[in-house]
């Protein structure tokens, strides 16, 4: 477990890193860039600190850290807007601001993910699990593999999330872990970070599914059938279809992964 750290300490660490990485123009048209340097450093530091947030012991202060980061991003954006008011922003500044806002979005979306450790696996309907989470007044979101869908080893099968990307209560984590363990999945969550979706992609000319693609949910959805479905949203249960009549379990198609943001593995928790 990482040593306890405050948001201010985390931001200061990355501010110093960002400051050392910025080259300051000193002559000619670099004047606006010189004025922009504090905001450039601030945006880089916030983005880096947010990416590091899941690895720090900041659970009690996470919501405050997220609010502080959000205010900082918008303050730096206003400062840059004033500096570059009468001419177009350089593309690099747009990219910095976009990266900082994306880091905010990823941090807020962060949750716990479980993956199949030894497939194939198919989950049953989660009615009992949802009832248990309702009883403990779980306030967040739960996504599970659709009932009856066969998943292969390494495939994400559950994602648990609460506001600000904070760590859910241990009782909720244990409940999801126990449900999955009852279906042959290791009950310990595998990674912490932004959510992923699994798309079953078909080639009907070939006669059926050809691969399961694991992709990050941010941005446009991929082609194919999404295999993870919303079971709870903001603490409210969602309709989940019943599994098809159980026959002999068949192998899932080949599993492939899209590259994406760095995340925290369970072994680092």
């Amino acid at each position: 477990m990482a040593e306890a750290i405050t948001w201010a300490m985390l931001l200061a660490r990355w501010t110093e890193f960002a400051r050392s990485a910025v080259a300051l123009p000193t002559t000619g048209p670099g004047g606006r860039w010189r004025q922009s340097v504090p905001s450039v450093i601030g945006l880089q530091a916030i983005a880096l600190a947010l990416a590091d947030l899941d690895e720090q012991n900041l659970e009690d202060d996470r919501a405050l850290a997220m609010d502080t980061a959000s205010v900082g991003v918008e303050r730096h954006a206003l400062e840059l807007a004033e500096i570059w008011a009468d001419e177009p922003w350089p593309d690099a500044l747009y990219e910095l601001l976009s990266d900082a806002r994306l880091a905010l979005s990823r941090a807020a979306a962060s949750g716990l993910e479980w993956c199949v450790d030894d497939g194939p696996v198919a989950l049953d309907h989660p009615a009992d699990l949802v009832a248990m989470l309702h009883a403990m007044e779980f306030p967040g979101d739960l996504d599970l593999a659709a009932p009856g869908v066969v998943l292969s080893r390494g495939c994400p099968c559950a994602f648990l999330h609460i506001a600000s990307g904070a760590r859910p209560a241990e009782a909720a984590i244990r409940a999801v872990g126990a449900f999955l363990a009852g279906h042959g999945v290791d009950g310990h969550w595998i990674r912490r970070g932004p959510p992923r979706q699994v798309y079953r992609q078909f080639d009907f000319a070939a006669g059926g599914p050809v691969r399961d693609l694991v992709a990050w949910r941010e941005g446009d959805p991929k082609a194919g059938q999404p295999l993870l479905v919303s079971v709870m949203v903001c603490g409210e249960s969602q309709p989940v279809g019943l599994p098809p009549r159980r026959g002999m379990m068949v192998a899932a198609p080949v599993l492939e992964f899209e590259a994406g943001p760095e995340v925290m593995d369970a072994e680092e928790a």
Side-chain angles (χ1 to χ4, degrees), residues 18 21 25 30 56 61 78 91 93 97 105 115 129 141 144 148 165-166 168 193 201-202 214 228 237:
Q56 308 302 327
D61 299 320
L78 287 173
D91 289 343
L93 291 183
L97 183 56
S105 176
C115 294
L129 171 59
D141 310 322
L144 291 172
Q201 299 182 329
F202 295 83
V214 181
L228 298 182
S237 60

Side-chain angles (χ1 to χ4, degrees), residues 200-211 253:
R200 180 152 293 174
Q201 299 182 329
F202 295 83
D203 182 347
F204 293 104
V210 292
R211 71 170 181 170

Side-chain angles (χ1 to χ4, degrees), residues 10-32:
L10 183 62
L11 186 60
R13 173 196 297 174
W14 286 112
T15 298
E16 186 58 33
F17 174 85
R19 182 179 292 117
S20 68
V22 173
L24 306 181
T26 58
T27 60
R32 291 183 190 273

Side-chain angles (χ1 to χ4, degrees), residues 14-246:
W14 286 112
T15 298
E16 186 58 33
F17 174 85
R19 182 179 292 117
S20 68
V22 173
L24 306 181
T26 58
T27 60
R32 291 183 190 273
W33 275 107
R34 283 183 62 82
Q35 290 178 270
S36 302
V37 163
S39 294
V40 167
I41 290 172
L43 288 172
Q44 287 183 321
I46 289 172
L48 290 165
L50 286 167
D52 201 17
L53 196 56
D54 283 338
E55 299 187 29
Q56 308 302 327
N57 184 18
L58 267 171
E59 302 303 338
D60 293 339
D61 299 320
R62 187 178 179 112
L64 177 60
M66 294 285 294
D67 288 343
T68 304
S70 179
V71 169
V73 169
E74 297 313 311
R75 174 170 56 83
H76 291 310
L78 287 173
E79 292 167 352
L80 291 172
E82 291 178 1
I83 294 168
W84 298 86
D86 56 354
E87 65 178 87
W89 282 32
D91 289 343
L93 291 183
Y94 277 119
E95 291 173 7
L96 281 170
L97 183 56
S98 176
D99 287 347
R101 287 174 171 161
L102 180 58
L104 269 171
S105 176
R106 286 175 174 169
S110 183
L112 306 184
E113 181 187 79
W114 286 258
C115 294
V116 176
D117 54 303
D118 188 16
V121 162
L123 304 184
D124 292 326
H125 195 279
D128 291 343
L129 171 59
V130 171
M132 188 180 305
L133 292 172
H134 267 307
M136 64 180 69
E137 299 183 345
F138 172 67
D141 310 322
L142 173 62
D143 297 337
L144 291 172
V149 172
V150 178
L151 306 175
S152 60
R153 180 178 181 180
C155 187
C157 60
F159 185 79
L160 192 67
H161 166 266
I162 63 172
S164 298
R167 184 185 176 99
E170 290 301 320
I173 296 173
R174 288 195 299 270
V176 175
F179 171 79
L180 296 173
H183 294 81
V185 177
D186 185 342
H188 200 307
W189 58 273
I190 300 300
R191 55 168 286 273
R192 183 175 183 179
R196 301 189 290 185
Q197 179 58 273
V198 186
Y199 298 92
R200 180 152 293 174
Q201 299 182 329
F202 295 83
D203 182 347
F204 293 104
V210 292
R211 71 170 181 170
D212 286 346
L213 177 65
V214 181
W216 303 96
R217 288 195 202 171
E218 63 191 32
D220 296 330
K222 307 296 181 182
Q225 174 190 356
L227 301 188
L228 298 182
V229 298
S230 294
V231 173
M232 297 185 74
V233 175
C234 296
E236 298 297 326
S237 60
Q238 306 297 302
V240 178
L242 294 172
R245 181 174 297 177
R246 181 68 58 85

